[in-house]
Amino acid sequence: MKHFDIAVIGGGAGGLAAAEKADRLGMDVVLLEREPFLGGILNQCIHHGFGLHHYKEELTGPEYAMRAIDDIERSGVTIKTDTTALDYKKLGGRFTIRYTNAEEGERTIEANAVILTSGSYERTAGGIRLPGERPKGVHTAGKAQRYLNIEGYMVGRKVFILGSGDIGLIMARRLTLEGAEVKGVAEIKPHPGGLTRNVVQCLHDFDIPLYLSHTVTDVRGDENLEGITIAEVDDAMQVKEATEKHFEVDTLLLSVGLIPDIATLGDVHYAIDPRTNGAIVDQTYQTTQDGLFAAGNALHIHDLVDFVTEESLRAALQAAAYVKGEVPPREKQVDVVTGETISYALPQRLNGDYLDKSVTFSLRSRHAYEKGTFLIKQRGETIERFKRRFINPAEMEHLVVEGGRIARGSGVEIILEGSS
Amino acid sequence: MKDFLIIGAGITGAFIARELAKYDVDTVVIEKESDVGNHATLANSALVHSGHDPEANTLKAKLCVEGNAMYPDLAETLEFPLLKSGGLLLAGDDERKALMDKYRNALDNNVPSVRWFERAALLEREPGLASRVAAGLDLPTTMVTFPWEVAIAAMENAIDNGVAFHKNTEVTRIDQESEGFAVHTDRGVFRAEYVINAAGAFAERIAAMAEEEPPFRITPRRGEYMVLDRRNEGLIKHALYPVPSEKGKGVLITPQTHGEILLGPTNTAQESLEAVPTTKQGMERIKTGAGSLLEKIPYEETIRTFAGVRASSSHEDFYIQPSKADERFIHVGGIDSPGLTAAPAIAAYVVDTFIRPRRPLDSNPHFNPKRKTKPLYKTLDDVDKNARFKADGRYGRIICKCERITEGDVVDHIGRTLGATSVKGVKKRARAGSGLCQGGYCEGEIIKVLAREHGTSPLDIDYYEQGTPIFLKETKVKP
């Protein structure tokens, strides 16, 4: 059985960054990628707007991916594409990973640490219990994006989009440019799910109506989709009477959320945070399973790929430290709790014996605020405060607390005091 | 000129076809849909009922108990999944009388090994039961199967034994002729001595083509369902039934053969024979019903919702009778619950009661009851896996990550007797696309494999029925 220091699962933005970083830190690394090519979802994101934070310039998805791919091809990472990880076992502190591909069949490798950068999958019609019929023509937006941008096929001519996540917004513009008529986008929440720039550039600029506080209440069509109905919802997300609007469409795209794709881990167990549907991690991005790390959309859903890259770099740094025995065992855990106005924060726990190193918190506000202050508290005392402007649930915030600021003894509380 | 023509390839038609294949006769099955088992067979509770429910001395009671007893052997012979889960019929304190009535009914119907349990005994078997559950019946012969695979299995076995099958063929008119019937379809005329109407929800329409006054009316009832994903395998071991009330048989919770948990059905009368929308109200009703059986249900892990139409009729019982106009035209109508369970017994009943007494049949000396399936690659041991992989590297390539279905498996399910021609056809057979992402990853790959194996363009691959292509137009110039 081949042995590696670190196995990285998934060769999208996160996996490329993590594998290359771990290689640079002297680790023997293997990278497994399900698709025949590296780059993951970036390959289908042919629009621009990537890289502003990480590369300090504006790139398309494939350009962003290509930079990372060029780097990894110059590295010593063992790359296996068109290869699916099947299951994981842990024996004597090491992981064995069974994978399969058309060249080797099923094989098993061993690794001291695993970094999960397997991305996410799209929430489906069933997942949101979409009412109505099940004709052909209802697709998740990312799948339709792949068909259009990679496979080269249009799925519809008259389109409605449910959910204003970034992929839905991007697809509204993309389908319009390809000649389809996008009749509208409905969002059940009172605010858009995607980035403000995408609402402006993909909907407003193309006169595509955005129906906030609306959801799809009916899907019609026997074999092929014929139409949908949307209606307004109140604060409790209950449909308001007599607010229905009907649209004749042959396609309904769903952009109703992404879910970390970590459901196929077999015998290796770890705790899940119901707020993120991803793993609970400490400041090293280590899950509750020793040696199992997670980053990128496999951990929690990001709005910017730059943040996926940067989080994966941090996770790789820590995974390498773990392999080298530099991360102390997790004997004293410090819990991180969040106030009402924060929907979630990572890490959820801190290794109390590793607090001499800085901690990066990633978090999202529950509401939009003109400005606000994030307070990091311990025993009721504020130990750090971060002022931010234009806080928005769709945009992830990062708070870096320097080493030595957080004490080992008691829980950490993160609070957001916002004002409109 | 055929000896027998069966209209409809749902579970009933498929088993009748297989029953006739045991004899030395020429049989043809015509089906208006693009695949076997597309309506009621595709959307039901997947239960092989014990027979406790149908009123005593009815065809439903008799054929349900008989059908139930046939399933274990059939599952082995035809190689379809069967989960011997057992069932529990659960009652609150205020429902003890109704439970006692069902207990007596089950005994009258000769349901094997029925026992009365008090709450403590029930909790030993299902620790998560709702607090209101006070007593119940143990129905150990209750089983769960994979309904459309059963129909496909029966039909494939029939075809392998010489039965002809025409899909995408809709009956438009039936003329009585001296030697039998001329069955007109959108794909030409079929002539046969006997016609068997197994058209499910459409059985009344077919009946009206054969006689002035159809002897039964179809009164369709829609049942909605909710499916929890396979991470919930083990949530319950038994199929859980509520005590039936005035309002109907109620919402069941059923472990599925592939690890999912099925909740439902609702029961709504409707006009349409085909409309299968799910509704918000339906989902709420399912939650209310299921909540009265089981304490904690992770609804957030819903993977799929669906609805099916039950071909209920104006008769309480199944309507299985020759036409008054011509004895050679046999109605098999009103096959609602327990139709899946009863189907193999219905087939034998039809042939033994209405055909053989008036038209002696010679047995088919070549009849092979067994259907050989090629098991999915993931189910093999390492030695067999290795052998299969060496012969074809496509078994090493996963197409459906969630269900671990390889490209080799998909190719097998396209190439088998009743091979898949559509995306949903592959899903029905190989379960590719049935997992957490519901085809988000694999649908495009499946379209490509289907196109390659059928020697056609991805533009011609349908989602399901004819004329439902997923790809409408190419956007790139291809070399």
Side-chain angles (χ1 to χ4, degrees):
Chain A
M1 192 181 346
K2 272 207 108 171
H3 179 86
F4 295 91
D5 293 322
I6 296 178
V8 179
I9 311 300
L16 290 168
E20 200 265 340
K21 174 79 173 179
D23 176 75
R24 260 193 288 137
L25 294 167
M27 297 285 107
D28 192 6
V29 182
V30 62
L31 173 63
L32 305 183
E33 167 54 42
R34 192 175 53 78
E35 298 260 11
F37 37 78
L38 294 168
I41 299 301
L42 282 169
N43 290 309
Q44 68 189 56
C45 299
I46 61 172
H47 51 283
H48 60 90
F50 303 95
L52 285 166
H53 289 261
H54 188 64
Y55 290 113
K56 311 292 178 211
E57 59 180 300
E58 194 170 39
L59 305 171
T60 65
E63 285 174 323
Y64 190 107
M66 216 50 227
R67 294 202 176 192
I69 293 167
D70 285 344
D71 286 344
I72 205 142
E73 283 178 349
R74 283 192 292 266
S75 77
V77 174
T78 302
I79 301 166
K80 290 184 181 293
T81 51
D82 223 347
T83 297
T84 306
L86 293 172
D87 51 43
Y88 304 72
K89 284 194 169 65
K90 199 175 182 196
L91 284 168
R94 286 177 175 179
F95 296 89
T96 57
I97 302 158
R98 197 164 57 98
Y99 67 84
T100 184
N101 61 42
E103 273 70 51
E104 302 170 279
E106 288 188 6
R107 292 291 167 91
T108 306
I109 50 172
E110 198 178 57
N112 290 348
V114 173
I115 307 177
L116 295 173
T117 46
S118 41
S120 56
Y121 66 93
E122 299 182 277
R123 185 169 281 122
T124 62
I128 60 165
R129 294 181 214 128
L130 185 71
E133 293 278 357
R134 274 142 199 71
K136 190 273 302 191
V138 180
H139 301 282
T140 53
K143 187 181 77 174
Q145 185 184 44
R146 182 192 170 96
Y147 291 164
L148 183 51
N149 293 344
I150 296 183
E151 314 289 351
Y153 295 101
M154 283 286 274
V155 294
R157 295 184 173 89
K158 287 186 272 180
V159 183
F160 197 90
I161 299 175
L162 174 60
S164 61
D166 286 311
I167 312 167
L169 301 175
I170 294 287
M171 278 304 281
R173 175 176 66 187
R174 184 78 184 90
L175 287 163
T176 305
L177 293 173
E178 283 292 341
E181 185 192 351
V182 178
K183 299 202 171 187
V185 176
E187 167 59 54
I188 195 165
K189 294 193 182 129
H191 50 79
L195 299 171
T196 307
R197 70 169 192 225
N198 285 335
V199 175
V200 174
Q201 294 170 10
C202 301
L203 300 187
H204 294 182
D205 290 358
F206 291 85
D207 295 327
I208 297 168
L210 173 61
Y211 300 94
L212 293 172
S213 299
H214 276 73
T215 191
V216 172
T217 55
D218 195 21
V219 173
R220 291 181 302 280
D222 175 14
E223 298 176 352
N224 286 297
L225 179 62
E226 288 161 15
I228 60 143
T229 302
I230 66 169
E232 198 177 340
V233 297
D234 60 22
D235 294 343
M237 303 254 179
Q238 295 301 310
V239 171
K240 290 188 189 171
E241 275 181 51
T243 59
E244 284 93 356
K245 291 184 183 67
H246 306 286
F247 296 90
E248 272 178 38
V249 289
D250 61 17
T251 302
L252 173 64
L253 294 190
L254 303 177
S255 177
V256 290
L258 300 172
I259 303 166
D261 193 1
I262 47 172
T264 55
L265 280 190
D267 294 344
V268 173
H269 300 288
Y270 52 93
I272 295 283
D273 185 339
R275 299 172 302 174
T276 58
N277 288 310
I280 290 175
V281 292
D282 66 14
Q283 71 268 48
T284 69
Y285 296 94
Q286 198 173 182
T287 66
T288 54
Q289 176 72 243
D290 287 347
L292 180 68
F293 296 77
N297 279 359
L299 178 59
H300 59 133
I301 302 307
H302 293 62
D303 32 276
L304 294 179
V305 69
D306 302 65
F307 293 160
V308 169
T309 298
E310 287 170 4
E311 182 172 279
S312 303
L313 292 172
R314 293 193 295 273
L317 181 69
Q318 298 302 336
Y322 168 86
V323 171
K324 292 174 187 164
E326 293 166 6
V327 176
R330 294 181 285 183
E331 279 160 13
K332 176 69 196 168
Q333 300 267 6
V334 176
D335 286 333
V336 178
V337 296
T338 51
E340 273 248 294
T341 51
I342 294 171
S343 60
Y344 76 86
L346 290 180
Q348 297 92 335
R349 288 174 192 171
L350 301 172
N351 179 342
D353 295 316
Y354 203 53
L355 292 168
D356 52 327
K357 302 279 194 300
S358 73
V359 176
T360 302
F361 291 100
S362 307
L363 65 173
R364 284 182 194 274
S365 167
R366 209 177 279 286
H367 313 286
Y369 299 107
E370 194 89 350
K371 52 189 172 184
T373 306
F374 290 96
L375 305 172
I376 311 275
K377 291 183 162 188
Q378 257 190 319
R379 297 178 203 264
E381 300 283 321
T382 300
I383 56 170
E384 204 68 88
R385 67 176 65 224
F386 301 86
K387 288 196 170 159
R388 291 285 189 271
R389 290 184 63 108
F390 306 116
I391 294 165
N392 184 335
E395 302 186 14
M396 191 191 295
E397 299 283 347
H398 292 91
L399 312 176
V400 182
V401 180
E402 292 310 318
R405 303 285 296 170
I406 299 172
R408 184 177 187 268
S410 66
V412 170
E413 193 181 4
I414 307 178
I415 289 171
L416 166 59
E417 292 170 348
S419 59
S420 304
Chain B
M1 182 82 183
K2 295 278 183 182
D3 298 315
F4 295 94
L5 183 146
I6 299 166
I7 301 171
I11 190 96
T12 315
F15 268 114
I16 295 172
R18 180 173 183 267
E19 190 66 25
L20 286 169
K22 295 175 182 171
Y23 301 96
D24 192 14
V25 292
D26 222 0
T27 304
V28 59
V29 181
I30 54 180
E31 166 58 55
K32 79 178 172 66
E33 299 285 327
S34 64
D35 202 355
V36 169
N38 244 12
H39 282 269
T41 306
L42 191 61
N44 57 71
S45 301
L47 275 165
V48 178
H49 297 282
S50 66
H52 65 278
D53 189 61
E55 199 182 317
N57 304 314
T58 59
L59 269 183
K60 281 187 178 178
K62 167 185 150 64
L63 298 174
C64 181
V65 174
E66 286 176 16
N68 176 290
M70 293 165 83
Y71 258 87
D73 279 349
L74 280 169
E76 273 190 32
T77 323
L78 294 176
E79 299 190 358
F80 59 75
L82 188 66
L83 184 68
K84 292 177 182 166
S85 61
L88 298 172
L89 177 65
L90 304 172
D93 243 334
D94 53 337
E95 295 169 321
R96 282 179 178 274
K97 190 189 161 302
L99 186 69
M100 182 52 81
D101 289 345
K102 278 292 155 199
Y103 184 49
R104 294 211 181 89
N105 193 62
L107 296 179
D108 286 346
N109 288 351
N110 294 316
V111 175
S113 315
V114 188
R115 282 186 294 174
W116 179 284
F117 280 158
E118 287 298 318
R119 181 173 170 84
L122 291 168
L123 282 178
E124 270 176 40
R125 284 153 184 87
E126 292 292 350
L129 293 180
S131 55
R132 65 170 281 280
V133 173
L137 297 187
D138 181 31
L139 304 162
T141 55
T142 306
M143 294 169 280
V144 183
T145 189
F146 192 34
W148 55 89
E149 181 63 26
V150 179
I152 293 171
M155 199 63 222
E156 275 187 331
N157 184 241
I159 292 169
D160 289 343
N161 283 294
V163 171
F165 176 57
H166 297 270
K167 59 182 182 179
N168 298 316
T169 304
E170 186 167 358
V171 176
T172 52
R173 197 177 89 211
I174 299 170
D175 294 336
Q176 204 175 337
E177 295 180 342
S178 60
E179 287 176 11
F181 301 89
V183 177
H184 297 257
T185 76
D186 54 356
R187 299 200 169 198
V189 184
F190 295 80
R191 287 195 162 73
E193 186 188 341
Y194 274 77
V195 170
I196 295 156
N197 171 14
F202 294 84
E204 180 191 332
R205 281 194 200 171
I206 297 296
M209 294 179 193
E211 50 193 304
E212 292 275 304
E213 273 295 307
F216 56 91
R217 305 205 70 83
I218 294 293
T219 53
R221 304 196 74 83
R222 181 167 43 88
E224 299 180 38
Y225 293 90
M226 199 188 277
V227 187
L228 306 181
D229 73 56
R230 139 172 95 63
R231 287 174 292 185
N232 294 290
E233 183 159 20
L235 180 72
I236 48 167
K237 292 187 205 70
H238 302 73
L240 304 182
Y241 294 82
V243 169
S245 70
E246 305 276 288
K247 289 184 216 147
K249 291 183 189 172
V251 170
L252 284 52
I253 312 180
T254 318
Q256 297 293 288
T257 53
H258 296 92
E260 292 142 335
I261 304 289
L262 184 67
L263 311 173
T266 58
N267 184 3
T268 314
Q270 66 176 29
E271 292 273 312
S272 168
L273 302 177
E274 285 187 291
V276 283
T278 55
T279 61
K280 199 159 184 259
Q281 301 87 307
M283 295 301 125
E284 292 308 317
R285 249 173 261 153
I286 291 173
K287 286 186 182 177
T288 309
S292 72
L293 300 178
L294 205 58
E295 201 67 48
K296 285 201 184 101
I297 302 171
Y299 296 110
E300 68 281 4
E301 294 186 359
T302 303
I303 189 174
R304 197 159 59 240
T305 59
F306 65 88
V309 169
R310 277 162 272 179
S312 302
S313 82
S314 45
H315 296 255
E316 265 298 295
D317 206 356
F318 296 147
Y319 186 86
I320 306 176
Q321 287 289 338
S323 159
K324 291 185 184 72
D326 189 327
E327 284 192 342
R328 296 170 301 178
F329 192 103
I330 301 165
H331 298 295
V332 186
I335 310 297
D336 55 357
S337 179
L340 170 65
T341 312
I346 290 173
Y349 175 75
V350 167
V351 173
D352 294 345
T353 314
F354 301 112
I355 297 173
R356 290 174 66 199
R358 47 166 296 140
R359 188 196 190 282
L361 303 176
D362 296 329
S363 58
N364 172 3
H366 307 294
F367 179 71
N368 176 6
K370 287 191 79 68
R371 178 187 73 139
K372 265 325 281 167
T373 60
K374 196 166 177 183
L376 291 171
Y377 185 72
K378 66 176 177 182
T379 63
L380 302 179
D381 62 27
D382 286 350
V383 177
D384 288 349
K385 269 185 182 169
N386 210 25
R388 228 199 253 184
F389 170 72
K390 285 244 162 74
D392 188 344
R394 291 180 297 187
Y395 288 104
R397 183 165 175 259
I398 296 278
I399 286 218
C400 167
K401 183 177 67 67
C402 303
E403 296 293 315
R404 303 283 168 72
I405 309 301
T406 70
E407 184 176 353
D409 293 321
V410 173
V411 171
D412 287 342
H413 283 281
I414 294 170
R416 63 191 249 195
T417 296
L418 263 176
T421 56
S422 65
V423 170
K424 200 165 165 188
V426 170
K427 182 177 176 179
K428 277 168 75 174
R429 287 161 179 78
R431 281 185 54 80
S434 303
L436 278 181
C437 82
Q438 291 285 292
Y441 280 137
C442 62
E443 185 186 85
E445 285 300 300
I446 287 166
I447 292 172
K448 281 192 241 172
V449 175
L450 276 164
R452 188 189 69 211
E453 295 298 311
H454 288 294
T456 171
S457 154
L459 292 165
D460 297 329
I461 298 301
D462 286 320
Y463 168 65
Y464 199 20
E465 293 92 346
Q466 282 189 306
T468 61
I470 286 174
F471 297 157
L472 294 192
K473 182 176 160 294
E474 274 186 13
T475 59
K476 292 184 181 176
V477 175
K478 298 199 173 150

